Amino acid sequence: MVKVEDIQQYGKEQLETVVASATTMQHGIQAIAGAYGDYTKKSFEDTKSMVEKLSGVKSLDKAIELQTEFAKSTYETFMAESQKIAGLYSDLAKQSFKPFEGLIAKYTPAATH
């Protein structure tokens, strides 16, 4: 027989789990937004610096050299930041579902062999 207390406890556990997951999601999304903001700011500053350097160049060879260095640096930064942000997304997914693991384990019968 199902008791009212059992139903209330089940509901309370589910609510606590959802709140924990939502809190984790909020912190994770803030971290991701911060990472995007930092990358955007750095990219803008790097581009501004490149334009300033390029405006002072007197030869085509030097301009091409600066542009090549800038393209290489920009690509490396993009790849590093992309990996960092991808890691943040992965961590967010893992941490967001972690509170549900205990709840699932508690209410899922163990597999028998």
Side-chain angles (χ1 to χ4, degrees), residues 11 19 21 31 33 37 39 42-44 53-54 56 62 64 68-69 71 74 88 91-92 101-102 112:
V19 168
S21 179
Y39 171 65
K42 182 178 180 355
S43 178
F44 177 77
K53 287 178 187 176
L54 200 55
K62 185 65 177 171
I64 292 172
T68 302
E69 290 172 8
T74 300
L88 290 172
D91 291 345
L92 173 62
E101 290 174 358
T112 57

Side-chain angles (χ1 to χ4, degrees), residues 2-28:
V2 177
K3 297 178 187 174
V4 172
E5 294 84 15
D6 292 341
I7 295 171
Q8 289 174 336
Q9 181 62 29
Y10 178 74
K12 180 182 174 193
E13 289 172 353
Q14 285 195 344
L15 179 62
E16 289 171 352
T17 301
V18 169
V19 168
S21 179
T23 301
T24 301
M25 293 246 338
Q26 178 185 4
H27 293 280

Side-chain angles (χ1 to χ4, degrees), residues 32-84:
I32 291 168
Y36 275 119
D38 293 346
Y39 171 65
T40 301
K41 182 179 178 184
K42 182 178 180 355
S43 178
F44 177 77
E45 290 170 356
D46 290 348
T47 302
K48 179 182 171 189
S49 175
M50 167 59 178
V51 170
E52 289 171 356
K53 287 178 187 176
L54 200 55
S55 66
V57 170
K58 305 243 189 259
S59 73
L60 180 61
D61 289 343
K62 185 65 177 171
I64 292 172
E65 180 184 332
L66 278 174
Q67 180 62 32
T68 302
E69 290 172 8
F70 177 71
K72 180 181 177 192
S73 172
T74 300
Y75 175 76
E76 290 170 353
T77 301
F78 172 76
M79 293 305 294
E81 292 298 317
S82 294
Q83 290 175 349
K84 176 184 169 185

